Coordinates of all heavy atoms in Angstrom, one line a residue:
M1 N 110.3 73.0 99.8 CA 109.1 73.1 99.0 C 107.9 73.6 99.8 O 108.0 73.6 101.0 CB 108.9 71.8 98.3 CG 110.0 71.3 97.5 SD 110.4 72.4 96.2 CE 111.9 71.7 95.6
I2 N 106.9 73.9 99.1 CA 105.7 74.4 99.8 C 105.1 73.4 100.8 O 104.7 73.8 101.9 CB 104.6 74.8 98.8 CG1 105.1 76.1 98.0 CG2 103.2 75.0 99.4 CD1 104.1 76.6 97.0
P3 N 105.1 72.1 100.6 CA 104.6 71.2 101.6 C 105.4 71.3 102.9 O 104.8 71.2 104.0 CB 104.7 69.8 101.0 CG 104.6 70.0 99.5 CD 105.3 71.4 99.3
D4 N 106.7 71.5 102.8 CA 107.5 71.7 104.0 C 107.2 73.0 104.7 O 107.1 73.0 106.0 CB 109.0 71.7 103.6 CG 109.5 70.4 103.0 OD1 108.9 69.3 103.4 OD2 110.5 70.4 102.2
L5 N 107.0 74.0 104.0 CA 106.6 75.3 104.6 C 105.2 75.2 105.3 O 105.0 75.7 106.4 CB 106.5 76.4 103.5 CG 106.4 77.8 104.0 CD1 107.5 78.2 104.9 CD2 106.4 78.7 102.7
M6 N 104.3 74.5 104.6 CA 102.9 74.2 105.2 C 103.1 73.5 106.5 O 102.4 73.8 107.5 CB 102.1 73.4 104.2 CG 101.6 74.2 103.0 SD 100.9 73.2 101.7 CE 99.5 72.6 102.4
A7 N 103.9 72.5 106.6 CA 104.1 71.7 107.8 C 104.7 72.6 108.9 O 104.3 72.4 110.1 CB 105.0 70.5 107.5
Q8 N 105.6 73.5 108.6 CA 106.2 74.4 109.6 C 105.1 75.3 110.2 O 105.1 75.5 111.4 CB 107.3 75.2 109.0 CG 108.6 74.4 108.7 CD 109.6 75.3 108.0 OE1 109.4 75.8 106.9 NE2 110.7 75.5 108.7
F9 N 104.3 75.8 109.3 CA 103.2 76.7 109.8 C 102.2 75.9 110.6 O 101.7 76.3 111.6 CB 102.5 77.4 108.6 CG 103.1 78.7 108.2 CD1 104.1 78.7 107.2 CD2 102.8 79.9 108.9 CE1 104.7 79.9 106.8 CE2 103.4 81.1 108.5 CZ 104.3 81.1 107.5
E10 N 101.9 74.6 110.2 CA 101.0 73.8 110.9 C 101.5 73.5 112.3 O 100.8 73.6 113.3 CB 100.8 72.5 110.2 CG 100.0 71.4 110.9 CD 98.6 71.9 111.4 OE1 98.0 72.8 110.8 OE2 98.1 71.4 112.5
T11 N 102.8 73.2 112.4 CA 103.4 72.9 113.8 C 103.3 74.2 114.7 O 102.9 74.1 115.8 CB 104.9 72.5 113.6 OG1 104.9 71.3 112.9 CG2 105.6 72.3 114.9
A12 N 103.7 75.3 114.1 CA 103.6 76.6 114.9 C 102.1 76.9 115.3 O 101.9 77.2 116.5 CB 104.2 77.7 114.1
S13 N 101.2 76.7 114.4 CA 99.8 77.0 114.7 C 99.2 76.0 115.7 O 98.5 76.4 116.7 CB 99.0 77.0 113.4 OG 97.6 77.2 113.7
A14 N 99.5 74.7 115.5 CA 99.0 73.7 116.5 C 99.6 73.9 117.9 O 98.8 73.8 118.9 CB 99.3 72.3 116.0
T15 N 100.8 74.3 118.0 CA 101.4 74.6 119.3 C 100.8 75.7 119.9 O 100.4 75.7 121.1 CB 103.0 74.8 119.1 OG1 103.5 73.6 118.5 CG2 103.6 75.1 120.4
Y16 N 100.6 76.8 119.2 CA 99.9 78.0 119.7 C 98.5 77.7 120.1 O 98.1 78.1 121.2 CB 99.9 79.1 118.6 CG 99.3 80.4 119.1 CD1 100.1 81.4 119.7 CD2 98.0 80.7 118.9 CE1 99.6 82.6 120.1 CE2 97.4 81.9 119.3 CZ 98.2 82.8 119.9 OH 97.7 84.0 120.4
A17 N 97.8 77.0 119.3 CA 96.4 76.6 119.6 C 96.3 75.8 120.9 O 95.4 76.0 121.8 CB 95.7 75.9 118.5
A18 N 97.2 74.8 121.0 CA 97.2 74.0 122.2 C 97.5 74.8 123.5 O 96.9 74.6 124.5 CB 98.2 72.8 122.1
A19 N 98.4 75.7 123.4 CA 98.8 76.5 124.5 C 97.7 77.5 125.0 O 97.6 77.9 126.1 CB 100.1 77.3 124.2
H20 N 96.8 77.8 124.0 CA 95.7 78.8 124.3 C 94.3 78.1 124.3 O 93.3 78.9 124.4 CB 95.8 80.0 123.4 CG 97.1 80.7 123.5 ND1 97.3 81.7 124.5 CD2 98.2 80.7 122.8 CE1 98.5 82.2 124.4 NE2 99.1 81.6 123.3
G21 N 94.3 76.8 124.2 CA 93.0 76.1 124.3 C 92.1 76.4 123.1 O 90.9 76.4 123.3
M22 N 92.6 76.6 122.0 CA 91.8 76.9 120.8 C 91.5 75.7 120.0 O 92.3 74.8 119.9 CB 92.6 77.9 119.9 CG 92.8 79.3 120.5 SD 94.0 80.4 119.6 CE 94.0 79.8 118.0
K23 N 90.3 75.6 119.5 CA 89.8 74.5 118.7 C 90.0 75.0 117.2 O 89.3 75.9 116.8 CB 88.4 74.2 119.0 CG 87.8 73.0 118.1 CD 86.4 72.8 118.4 CE 85.8 71.8 117.4 NZ 84.4 71.8 117.3
R24 N 90.7 74.2 116.4 CA 90.9 74.6 115.0 C 90.1 73.6 114.2 O 90.5 72.4 114.1 CB 92.4 74.5 114.7 CG 93.3 75.5 115.4 CD 94.7 75.5 115.1 NE 95.2 74.1 115.0 CZ 96.0 73.7 114.0 NH1 96.5 74.5 113.2 NH2 96.4 72.4 114.0
D25 N 89.1 74.0 113.6 CA 88.3 73.2 112.7 C 88.2 73.8 111.4 O 88.8 74.9 111.2 CB 86.9 72.9 113.3 CG 86.1 74.1 113.6 OD1 86.5 75.2 113.1 OD2 85.1 74.0 114.3
A26 N 87.5 73.3 110.4 CA 87.4 73.8 109.1 C 86.9 75.3 109.1 O 87.5 76.1 108.3 CB 86.5 73.0 108.2
D27 N 85.9 75.6 109.9 CA 85.5 77.0 110.0 C 86.6 77.9 110.5 O 86.8 79.0 110.0 CB 84.3 77.1 110.9 CG 83.0 76.5 110.3 OD1 83.0 76.3 109.1 OD2 82.1 76.2 111.1
W28 N 87.3 77.4 111.5 CA 88.4 78.3 112.1 C 89.4 78.6 111.0 O 89.8 79.8 110.9 CB 89.1 77.5 113.3 CG 90.1 78.4 113.9 CD1 90.0 79.2 114.9 CD2 91.5 78.4 113.6 NE1 91.2 79.8 115.3 CE2 92.2 79.3 114.5 CE3 92.3 77.7 112.6 CZ2 93.5 79.6 114.4 CZ3 93.7 78.0 112.6 CH2 94.3 78.9 113.5
F29 N 89.8 77.6 110.2 CA 90.9 77.9 109.2 C 90.4 78.9 108.2 O 91.1 79.8 107.8 CB 91.3 76.6 108.5 CG 92.1 75.7 109.3 CD1 91.6 74.7 110.0 CD2 93.5 76.0 109.5 CE1 92.4 73.8 110.8 CE2 94.3 75.2 110.3 CZ 93.7 74.1 110.9
L30 N 89.1 78.9 107.8 CA 88.6 79.9 106.8 C 88.4 81.2 107.5 O 88.8 82.2 106.9 CB 87.3 79.4 106.3 CG 86.6 80.4 105.3 CD1 87.5 80.6 104.1 CD2 85.3 79.8 104.9
L31 N 87.9 81.2 108.7 CA 87.6 82.5 109.4 C 88.9 83.2 109.7 O 89.0 84.5 109.6 CB 86.8 82.3 110.6 CG 85.3 81.9 110.3 CD1 84.6 81.5 111.6 CD2 84.6 82.9 109.5
K32 N 90.0 82.5 110.1 CA 91.3 83.1 110.4 C 91.9 83.7 109.1 O 92.4 84.8 109.2 CB 92.2 82.1 111.1 CG 91.9 81.9 112.5 CD 92.0 83.1 113.4 CE 93.5 83.6 113.5 NZ 93.6 84.8 114.4
L33 N 91.7 83.0 108.0 CA 92.2 83.5 106.8 C 91.5 84.8 106.4 O 92.2 85.8 106.0 CB 92.0 82.5 105.7 CG 92.7 82.6 104.3 CD1 92.8 81.3 103.7 CD2 92.0 83.6 103.5
L34 N 90.2 84.9 106.6 CA 89.5 86.1 106.3 C 89.8 87.2 107.3 O 90.0 88.4 106.9 CB 88.0 85.8 106.3 CG 87.5 84.9 105.2 CD1 86.0 84.5 105.5 CD2 87.7 85.5 103.9
E35 N 90.0 86.9 108.5 CA 90.4 87.9 109.5 C 91.8 88.5 109.1 O 91.9 89.7 109.2 CB 90.5 87.2 110.9 CG 91.0 88.1 112.0 CD 91.2 87.4 113.3 OE1 90.6 86.3 113.5 OE2 92.0 87.8 114.1
E36 N 92.7 87.7 108.8 CA 94.0 88.2 108.4 C 94.0 89.0 107.1 O 94.7 90.0 107.0 CB 95.0 87.1 108.3 CG 95.3 86.3 109.6 CD 95.8 87.2 110.7 OE1 96.3 88.3 110.4 OE2 95.6 86.8 111.9
A37 N 93.1 88.6 106.2 CA 93.0 89.4 104.9 C 92.4 90.8 105.3 O 92.9 91.8 104.8 CB 92.0 88.7 103.9
G38 N 91.5 90.9 106.2 CA 90.9 92.1 106.7 C 92.0 93.0 107.4 O 92.0 94.2 107.2
E39 N 92.8 92.4 108.2 CA 93.9 93.1 108.9 C 94.9 93.7 107.9 O 95.3 94.8 108.0 CB 94.5 92.3 109.9 CG 93.6 92.0 111.1 CD 94.2 91.0 112.1 OE1 95.4 90.6 112.0 OE2 93.5 90.7 113.1
L40 N 95.2 92.9 106.9 CA 96.1 93.4 105.8 C 95.5 94.6 105.1 O 96.2 95.6 104.8 CB 96.4 92.3 104.8 CG 97.4 92.6 103.7 CD1 98.7 93.1 104.2 CD2 97.5 91.4 102.8
A41 N 94.2 94.5 104.7 CA 93.5 95.6 104.0 C 93.5 96.8 104.9 O 93.7 97.9 104.4 CB 92.1 95.1 103.7
Q42 N 93.3 96.7 106.2 CA 93.3 97.8 107.1 C 94.6 98.5 107.1 O 94.6 99.8 107.0 CB 92.9 97.3 108.5 CG 92.8 98.4 109.5 CD 92.4 97.9 110.9 OE1 93.1 97.0 111.4 NE2 91.3 98.4 111.5
V43 N 95.7 97.8 107.2 CA 97.0 98.4 107.2 C 97.3 99.1 105.8 O 97.8 100.2 105.8 CB 98.1 97.4 107.5 CG1 99.5 98.0 107.4 CG2 97.9 96.9 108.9
A44 N 96.9 98.4 104.8 CA 97.1 99.0 103.4 C 96.4 100.3 103.3 O 96.9 101.3 102.7 CB 96.7 98.0 102.3
N45 N 95.1 100.3 103.8 CA 94.4 101.6 103.8 C 95.1 102.7 104.6 O 95.0 103.9 104.2 CB 93.0 101.3 104.4 CG 92.0 100.8 103.3 OD1 92.3 100.8 102.1 ND2 90.9 100.2 103.8
R46 N 95.6 102.3 105.7 CA 96.3 103.3 106.5 C 97.6 103.9 105.8 O 97.8 105.1 105.8 CB 96.8 102.7 107.9 CG 95.6 102.5 108.8 CD 96.0 102.0 110.2 NE 94.9 101.9 111.0 CZ 94.8 101.0 112.0 NH1 95.8 100.3 112.3 NH2 93.7 101.0 112.7
L47 N 98.3 103.0 105.1 CA 99.5 103.4 104.4 C 99.1 104.3 103.2 O 99.9 105.2 102.9 CB 100.2 102.2 103.9 CG 101.4 101.7 104.7 CD1 101.9 100.4 104.2 CD2 102.5 102.8 104.7
S48 N 98.0 104.0 102.6 CA 97.6 104.8 101.4 C 96.8 106.1 101.8 O 96.5 106.8 100.9 CB 96.7 103.9 100.5 OG 95.5 103.7 101.1
G49 N 96.6 106.3 103.0 CA 95.9 107.5 103.5 C 94.4 107.4 103.4 O 93.6 108.3 103.6
R50 N 93.9 106.2 103.2 CA 92.4 105.9 103.1 C 91.8 105.7 104.5 O 90.6 105.5 104.6 CB 92.1 104.8 102.2 CG 92.4 105.1 100.7 CD 92.1 103.9 99.8 NE 92.4 104.1 98.4 CZ 93.5 103.8 97.8 NH1 94.4 103.1 98.5 NH2 93.7 104.1 96.6
S51 N 92.7 105.6 105.5 CA 92.3 105.4 106.8 C 93.3 106.1 107.8 O 94.4 106.4 107.4 CB 92.3 103.9 107.1 OG 91.7 103.6 108.4
R52 N 92.8 106.4 109.0 CA 93.7 107.0 109.9 C 94.9 106.2 110.3 O 94.8 105.0 110.5 CB 93.0 107.3 111.3 CG 91.9 108.3 111.1 CD 91.2 108.6 112.5 NE 90.7 107.5 113.1 CZ 91.1 107.0 114.4 NH1 92.0 107.7 115.0 NH2 90.6 106.0 114.9
A53 N 96.1 106.8 110.4 CA 97.3 106.1 110.7 C 97.4 105.8 112.2 O 98.3 105.0 112.6 CB 98.5 106.9 110.3
K54 N 96.5 106.4 113.0 CA 96.5 106.2 114.5 C 97.8 106.5 115.1 O 98.3 105.7 116.0 CB 96.0 104.8 114.8 CG 94.5 104.6 114.4 CD 94.0 103.3 115.1 CE 92.5 103.3 114.8 NZ 91.9 102.1 115.4
G55 N 98.5 107.5 114.7 CA 99.8 107.9 115.3 C 101.0 107.1 114.9 O 102.1 107.3 115.4
M56 N 100.8 106.2 114.0 CA 101.9 105.3 113.5 C 102.7 106.0 112.4 O 102.0 106.6 111.5 CB 101.4 104.0 113.1 CG 101.0 103.1 114.2 SD 100.6 101.4 113.7 CE 98.9 101.6 113.3
S57 N 104.0 105.9 112.4 CA 104.8 106.4 111.3 C 104.6 105.6 110.1 O 104.1 104.4 110.1 CB 106.2 106.5 111.7 OG 106.8 105.2 111.8
E58 N 105.1 106.1 108.9 CA 105.0 105.3 107.7 C 105.9 104.0 107.9 O 105.5 102.9 107.4 CB 105.5 106.1 106.5 CG 105.4 105.4 105.2 CD 105.7 106.2 104.0 OE1 105.5 107.5 104.1 OE2 106.1 105.6 103.0
A59 N 107.0 104.1 108.5 CA 107.9 102.9 108.8 C 107.2 101.9 109.6 O 107.3 100.7 109.4 CB 109.2 103.4 109.4
E60 N 106.5 102.4 110.7 CA 105.7 101.4 111.5 C 104.6 100.8 110.8 O 104.4 99.6 110.9 CB 105.2 102.2 112.7 CG 106.2 102.6 113.7 CD 105.6 103.6 114.8 OE1 104.8 104.5 114.5 OE2 106.0 103.4 116.0
L61 N 103.9 101.5 109.9 CA 102.9 101.0 109.1 C 103.4 100.0 108.1 O 102.8 98.9 107.9 CB 102.1 102.1 108.4 CG 101.2 102.9 109.3 CD1 100.7 104.1 108.5 CD2 100.0 102.1 109.9
Y62 N 104.5 100.2 107.5 CA 105.1 99.3 106.6 C 105.5 98.0 107.3 O 105.3 96.9 106.7 CB 106.3 99.9 105.8 CG 106.7 99.1 104.6 CD1 106.0 99.1 103.5 CD2 107.8 98.2 104.7 CE1 106.3 98.3 102.4 CE2 108.1 97.4 103.7 CZ 107.4 97.4 102.5 OH 107.7 96.6 101.5
R63 N 106.1 98.1 108.4 CA 106.4 96.9 109.2 C 105.2 96.1 109.5 O 105.2 94.9 109.4 CB 107.1 97.4 110.5 CG 107.5 96.3 111.5 CD 108.6 95.4 110.9 NE 109.0 94.3 111.8 CZ 109.9 94.3 112.7 NH1 110.7 95.3 112.8 NH2 110.1 93.2 113.4
L64 N 104.1 96.8 109.9 CA 102.8 96.1 110.1 C 102.3 95.5 108.9 O 101.7 94.4 108.9 CB 101.8 97.1 110.7 CG 100.6 96.6 111.4 CD1 100.9 95.6 112.5 CD2 99.8 97.8 112.0
L65 N 102.5 96.1 107.7 CA 102.1 95.6 106.4 C 102.8 94.3 106.2 O 102.2 93.3 105.8 CB 102.3 96.6 105.3 CG 101.9 96.1 103.9 CD1 100.3 96.2 103.8 CD2 102.5 97.0 102.9
E66 N 104.1 94.3 106.5 CA 104.9 93.0 106.3 C 104.4 91.9 107.2 O 104.2 90.8 106.8 CB 106.4 93.3 106.7 CG 107.1 94.2 105.7 CD 108.5 94.6 106.1 OE1 108.7 94.6 107.3 OE2 109.3 94.9 105.2
D67 N 104.1 92.3 108.5 CA 103.7 91.3 109.5 C 102.3 90.7 109.1 O 102.1 89.5 109.2 CB 103.6 91.9 110.9 CG 104.9 92.3 111.5 OD1 106.0 91.8 110.9 OD2 104.9 93.0 112.5
E68 N 101.4 91.6 108.6 CA 100.1 91.1 108.3 C 100.1 90.3 107.0 O 99.4 89.3 106.8 CB 99.1 92.3 108.1 CG 98.8 93.0 109.4 CD 98.3 92.1 110.5 OE1 97.7 91.0 110.3 OE2 98.5 92.4 111.7
T69 N 101.0 90.6 106.1 CA 101.2 89.8 104.9 C 101.7 88.4 105.2 O 101.2 87.4 104.7 CB 102.2 90.5 103.9 OG1 101.7 91.8 103.5 CG2 102.4 89.7 102.6
A70 N 102.7 88.4 106.2 CA 103.2 87.1 106.7 C 102.0 86.3 107.3 O 101.9 85.0 107.1 CB 104.3 87.3 107.6
D71 N 101.2 87.0 108.1 CA 100.0 86.3 108.7 C 99.1 85.7 107.7 O 98.7 84.6 107.8 CB 99.3 87.2 109.6 CG 99.9 87.5 111.0 OD1 100.8 86.7 111.3 OD2 99.5 88.4 111.7
L72 N 98.8 86.5 106.7 CA 97.9 86.0 105.6 C 98.5 84.8 104.9 O 97.8 83.8 104.7 CB 97.5 87.1 104.7 CG 96.5 86.8 103.6 CD1 95.2 86.3 104.1 CD2 96.3 88.0 102.7
L73 N 99.7 84.9 104.5 CA 100.4 83.8 103.9 C 100.3 82.5 104.8 O 100.0 81.5 104.3 CB 101.9 84.1 103.5 CG 102.7 83.0 103.0 CD1 102.1 82.5 101.7 CD2 104.1 83.4 102.9
G74 N 100.6 82.7 106.0 CA 100.6 81.6 107.0 C 99.2 80.9 107.0 O 99.1 79.7 107.0
H75 N 98.2 81.8 107.0 CA 96.8 81.2 107.1 C 96.4 80.6 105.8 O 95.6 79.7 105.8 CB 95.9 82.2 107.7 CG 96.0 82.3 109.2 ND1 95.5 81.3 110.0 CD2 96.7 83.2 110.0 CE1 95.8 81.6 111.3 NE2 96.5 82.7 111.3
I76 N 96.9 81.1 104.7 CA 96.6 80.5 103.4 C 97.2 79.1 103.4 O 96.6 78.1 103.0 CB 97.1 81.3 102.2 CG1 96.2 82.5 102.1 CG2 97.1 80.5 100.9 CD1 96.8 83.6 101.1
L77 N 98.4 79.0 103.9 CA 99.1 77.7 103.9 C 98.4 76.7 104.9 O 98.3 75.5 104.7 CB 100.6 77.9 104.3 CG 101.4 78.6 103.2 CD1 102.8 78.9 103.7 CD2 101.5 77.8 101.9
L78 N 98.0 77.3 106.1 CA 97.3 76.4 107.0 C 96.0 75.9 106.5 O 95.6 74.8 106.6 CB 97.0 77.2 108.3 CG 98.2 77.5 109.2 CD1 97.8 78.5 110.3 CD2 98.7 76.2 109.8
F79 N 95.2 76.8 105.8 CA 94.0 76.4 105.1 C 94.2 75.3 104.1 O 93.5 74.3 104.1 CB 93.4 77.6 104.4 CG 92.0 77.3 103.8 CD1 90.9 77.4 104.4 CD2 92.0 77.0 102.4 CE1 89.7 77.2 103.8 CE2 90.8 76.8 101.8 CZ 89.6 76.8 102.5
A80 N 95.2 75.5 103.3 CA 95.6 74.5 102.3 C 96.0 73.1 102.9 O 95.5 72.1 102.5 CB 96.7 75.0 101.4
H81 N 96.8 73.2 104.0 CA 97.2 72.0 104.7 C 96.0 71.3 105.3 O 95.9 70.1 105.1 CB 98.2 72.4 105.8 CG 98.8 71.2 106.5 ND1 98.2 70.8 107.7 CD2 99.8 70.4 106.3 CE1 98.9 69.7 108.1 NE2 99.9 69.5 107.3
H82 N 95.2 72.0 105.9 CA 94.0 71.4 106.6 C 93.1 70.7 105.6 O 92.5 69.6 105.9 CB 93.2 72.5 107.3 CG 91.9 71.9 108.0 ND1 92.0 71.2 109.1 CD2 90.6 72.0 107.6 CE1 90.7 70.9 109.5 NE2 89.9 71.3 108.5
H83 N 93.0 71.2 104.4 CA 92.1 70.7 103.4 C 92.9 69.7 102.4 O 92.2 69.3 101.4 CB 91.4 71.8 102.6 CG 90.4 72.5 103.4 ND1 89.2 71.9 103.8 CD2 90.4 73.7 104.0 CE1 88.5 72.8 104.5 NE2 89.2 73.9 104.7
G84 N 94.1 69.5 102.6 CA 94.9 68.6 101.8 C 95.1 69.1 100.4 O 95.2 68.3 99.4
I85 N 95.2 70.4 100.2 CA 95.4 71.0 98.9 C 96.8 70.9 98.5 O 97.7 71.3 99.3 CB 94.9 72.5 98.9 CG1 93.4 72.5 99.2 CG2 95.3 73.2 97.6 CD1 92.8 73.9 99.4
A86 N 97.1 70.4 97.3 CA 98.5 70.4 96.8 C 98.8 71.7 96.1 O 98.5 71.9 94.9 CB 98.6 69.2 95.8
L87 N 99.3 72.7 96.9 CA 99.5 74.0 96.3 C 100.5 74.0 95.2 O 100.4 74.8 94.2 CB 100.0 75.0 97.4 CG 98.9 75.6 98.3 CD1 99.4 76.5 99.3 CD2 97.9 76.3 97.4
D88 N 101.5 73.2 95.3 CA 102.5 73.1 94.2 C 101.8 72.8 92.9 O 102.0 73.5 91.9 CB 103.5 72.0 94.4 CG 104.5 72.3 95.5 OD1 104.6 73.5 96.0 OD2 105.2 71.4 96.0
D89 N 100.9 71.8 92.9 CA 100.2 71.5 91.7 C 99.2 72.6 91.2 O 99.1 72.9 90.0 CB 99.4 70.2 91.9 CG 100.3 69.0 92.2 OD1 101.5 69.0 91.8 OD2 99.7 68.0 92.8
A90 N 98.5 73.2 92.2 CA 97.6 74.2 91.9 C 98.3 75.5 91.3 O 97.8 76.1 90.3 CB 96.8 74.6 93.1
I91 N 99.5 75.8 91.8 CA 100.2 76.9 91.3 C 100.7 76.6 89.9 O 100.6 77.5 89.0 CB 101.4 77.3 92.2 CG1 100.9 77.9 93.6 CG2 102.4 78.2 91.6 CD1 101.9 78.0 94.6
E92 N 101.1 75.4 89.7 CA 101.5 75.0 88.3 C 100.4 75.1 87.3 O 100.6 75.6 86.2 CB 102.1 73.6 88.3 CG 102.8 73.3 87.0 CD 103.6 72.0 87.1 OE1 103.5 71.3 88.2 OE2 104.3 71.7 86.1
R93 N 99.2 74.7 87.7 CA 98.0 74.8 86.9 C 97.6 76.3 86.6 O 97.4 76.7 85.5 CB 96.8 74.1 87.5 CG 96.8 72.6 87.3 CD 95.5 72.0 87.6 NE 94.9 72.4 88.9 CZ 95.1 71.9 90.1 NH1 96.0 70.9 90.2 NH2 94.5 72.4 91.1
K94 N 97.6 77.0 87.7 CA 97.0 78.4 87.6 C 98.1 79.4 87.1 O 97.7 80.4 86.4 CB 96.4 78.8 88.9 CG 95.2 78.0 89.4 CD 94.0 78.2 88.5 CE 93.5 79.6 88.6 NZ 92.3 79.9 87.9
W95 N 99.3 79.3 87.6 CA 100.3 80.3 87.3 C 101.3 79.9 86.3 O 102.2 80.6 85.9 CB 101.0 80.7 88.6 CG 100.1 81.5 89.5 CD1 99.2 81.1 90.4 CD2 100.0 82.9 89.5 NE1 98.5 82.1 91.0 CE2 99.0 83.3 90.5 CE3 100.7 84.0 88.9 CZ2 98.7 84.6 90.8 CZ3 100.4 85.3 89.2 CH2 99.4 85.6 90.1
R96 N 101.3 78.6 85.9 CA 102.1 78.0 84.9 C 103.6 78.0 85.2 O 104.4 78.2 84.3 CB 101.8 78.7 83.5 CG 100.4 78.5 83.1 CD 100.1 79.2 81.8 NE 98.6 79.2 81.7 CZ 98.0 78.5 80.8 NH1 98.6 77.7 79.9 NH2 96.7 78.5 80.7
F97 N 103.9 77.8 86.5 CA 105.3 77.5 86.9 C 105.2 76.6 88.1 O 104.2 76.5 88.8 CB 106.1 78.8 87.2 CG 105.7 79.5 88.4 CD1 106.4 79.2 89.6 CD2 104.7 80.4 88.4 CE1 106.0 79.8 90.8 CE2 104.4 81.1 89.6 CZ 105.0 80.8 90.8
R98 N 106.3 75.9 88.3 CA 106.4 75.0 89.5 C 107.2 75.7 90.5 O 108.4 76.0 90.3 CB 107.0 73.7 89.1 CG 107.1 72.6 90.2 CD 105.8 71.9 90.2 NE 105.7 70.9 91.2 CZ 104.6 70.3 91.6 NH1 103.5 70.6 91.0 NH2 104.6 69.4 92.6
P99 N 106.6 76.0 91.7 CA 107.4 76.7 92.7 C 108.6 75.9 93.2 O 108.5 74.7 93.4 CB 106.4 77.0 93.9 CG 105.3 76.1 93.6 CD 105.3 75.7 92.1
N100 N 109.7 76.5 93.5 CA 110.8 75.8 94.0 C 111.3 76.5 95.3 O 112.4 76.8 95.5 CB 112.0 75.7 93.0 CG 112.4 77.1 92.6 OD1 111.9 78.1 93.0 ND2 113.4 77.1 91.7
V101 N 110.3 76.8 96.2 CA 110.6 77.4 97.5 C 111.4 76.5 98.3 O 111.2 75.4 98.5 CB 109.2 77.8 98.2 CG1 109.5 78.4 99.5 CG2 108.3 78.6 97.3

């Protein structure tokens, strides 16, 4: 379920932060989420021809799009975990289904 996935991302992020001496506070969780959204938008612009591809092939850009999408999802889950958000409940309210991830 989503809480389990959130916990996995939290473990990975906390381990990474400890190894690199990073302080993760409420601002960090929001700013990282926004940073990753920007990186995803940048790759999407490159794929659509709205920005330079910087010598990357379409396959390389698509792989980067996948990676940045995973980063954004991870940071959304970290943000929700940090703030104690019950995403299962919120998804059910907003999207009208109960996730069974």
